[in-house]
Amino acid sequence: MENVTERIVDALRCPVCGAPMRYDATCGAGQLLCLGTRTHNFDLAKSGYVHLAPRHSGGGDSREAVRARTAFLSEGYYRVAVDALCELIKTYAPEGLVVDAGCGEGYYTNRVAAMGQHAVCGFDLSRDAVDSAAKAARREGNGARYGVASVFELPLADGSADAVLNIFAPCSEAEYARVLKSGGVLILLGAGERHLLGLKRALYDEIYENAERADLPEGLDLVEQRTVRDVIEVTGAEQIGHLFSMTPYYWRTSPEDKRKLERLETLKTEIEFDCRVYRKA
Ligand SMILES: C[S@@+](CC[C@H](N)C(=O)[O-])C[C@H]1O[C@@H](n2cnc3c(N)ncnc32)[C@H](O)[C@@H]1O
């Protein structure tokens, strides 16, 4: 595990001045110290995550959103997605440093770390999300490390990552290309055309398939695309509410349509994930 921490610290760069960093375990929960001419210090939180975003940055998902997603994902409804992700990593980046950009509470990140073949770190703007991710990693003893940082400004050296994961989070192609090694891969996982069609059927009179996302990479080489699908039955109004709150429809649906979900005890829906692997030349 020490080796894993060393590999991650080697790749980290100070978010203030860009200098390499070292880990100091002697103080509190531990500290990251930058090796620049003016030393910048970053204390680890009790759970083990570290804040590496500029002070003024905020945002990312709220505590309530993190709790709802954790409650839903931990039931295994998206098992096919995490299984596909692990398979793609085994194929395209069997070892090395894996960075999960926009990792949320680490559902996918911790599964990758549990494979035991990689040094794994996750970054997200939400402090509540990375705190929850770090706690889960510690409970599981999988060695994953977490930080607060924007996907548009990752605190990592150029060419340091073997794989970047981007799962239902904003895609920042230029930044991912910067941190990837030559030959490294970006694995993108997002909603397929028929993802959550059953949820839409329950909410709306007129339903439509999802359009292709607008932020797909343009400069990296697409080496594999696959669609993974399943049908799930979500049980209980609370769990259906958790799923609904994870979706963009939560913010766009009228109060009358939202009330339709309150009457449901089970929801059967297609889930469909679009997985793409891009390689940096
Ligand atoms: C829909 S969630 C997905 C989380 C996780 N990848 C998953 O699929 O379980 C999107 C995540 O992106 C994070 N996020 C949004 N904008 C971000 C940014 N600019 N930098 C880092 N994280 C961001 C949010 O805080 C949230 O945790």
Side-chain angles (χ1 to χ4, degrees):
M1 207 61 80
E2 231 153 68
N3 193 20
V4 167
T5 307
E6 269 169 34
R7 283 166 80 179
I8 295 170
V9 174
D10 269 359
L12 288 176
R13 289 295 175 270
C14 173
V16 181
C17 67
M21 306 186 86
R22 78 176 173 85
Y23 176 62
D24 175 14
T26 59
C27 175
Q31 262 191 331
L32 284 170
L33 306 174
C34 105
L35 302 172
T37 43
R38 293 186 54 188
T39 312
H40 304 106
N41 300 351
F42 304 87
D43 293 338
L44 270 65
K46 223 161 56 185
S47 61
Y49 79 86
V50 59
H51 198 295
L52 292 174
R55 285 283 155 227
H56 58 265
S57 68
D61 281 3
S62 66
R63 180 172 302 173
E64 293 68 38
V66 169
R67 284 203 181 130
R69 205 165 47 233
T70 306
F72 179 81
L73 291 174
S74 62
E75 287 299 313
Y77 289 115
Y78 282 6
R79 193 174 297 122
V80 288
V82 73
D83 287 349
L85 177 74
C86 290
E87 205 182 304
L88 289 170
I89 292 175
K90 275 187 204 153
T91 306
Y92 290 99
E95 55 181 26
L97 179 68
V98 175
V99 177
D100 191 355
C103 61
E105 67 286 355
Y107 172 70
Y108 298 90
T109 337
N110 284 327
R111 270 290 301 273
V112 174
M115 293 198 293
Q117 304 301 317
H118 305 87
V120 179
C121 58
F123 295 102
D124 198 287
L125 265 189
S126 162
R127 196 186 59 81
D128 290 308
V130 293
D131 185 47
S132 173
K135 283 179 181 150
R138 187 164 281 181
R139 267 196 315 273
E140 295 166 21
N142 64 38
R145 305 283 177 221
Y146 290 93
V148 175
S150 169
V151 300
F152 296 97
E153 223 175 334
L154 293 167
L156 292 167
D158 296 356
S160 53
D162 294 272
V164 172
L165 315 179
N166 188 233
I167 305 164
F168 286 102
C171 179
S172 164
E173 181 183 4
E175 185 62 346
Y176 304 157
R178 179 187 71 76
V179 303
L180 278 173
K181 287 178 183 164
S182 169
V185 290
L186 166 63
I187 303 181
L188 225 66
L189 206 148
E193 286 174 353
R194 297 175 65 79
H195 189 52
L196 299 180
L197 221 50
L199 176 65
K200 289 194 230 177
R201 260 185 228 112
L203 285 168
Y204 311 121
D205 297 331
E206 216 175 300
I207 59 162
Y208 52 91
E209 294 190 349
N210 298 318
E212 192 169 83
R213 62 190 283 178
D215 60 355
L216 285 173
E218 291 174 345
L220 297 165
D221 300 328
L222 181 64
V223 290
E224 179 169 344
Q225 179 178 6
R226 67 166 82 158
T227 305
V228 177
R229 46 177 79 87
D230 198 2
V231 175
I232 57 169
E233 197 160 301
V234 185
T235 39
E238 194 184 29
Q239 201 62 287
I240 294 169
H242 290 150
L243 170 62
F244 181 46
S245 72
M246 288 164 58
T247 68
Y249 320 121
Y250 183 75
W251 306 103
R252 301 183 200 143
T253 302
S254 69
E256 303 83 72
D257 282 342
K258 276 184 180 175
R259 275 198 287 277
K260 294 179 192 166
L261 283 189
E262 290 163 14
R263 299 194 283 271
L264 284 183
E265 260 313 305
T266 60
L267 172 79
K268 196 168 175 179
T269 181
E270 303 87 335
I271 51 172
E272 191 176 279
F273 304 91
D274 177 39
C275 314
R276 296 175 191 233
V277 183
Y278 295 84
R279 199 189 301 280
K280 178 177 169 180

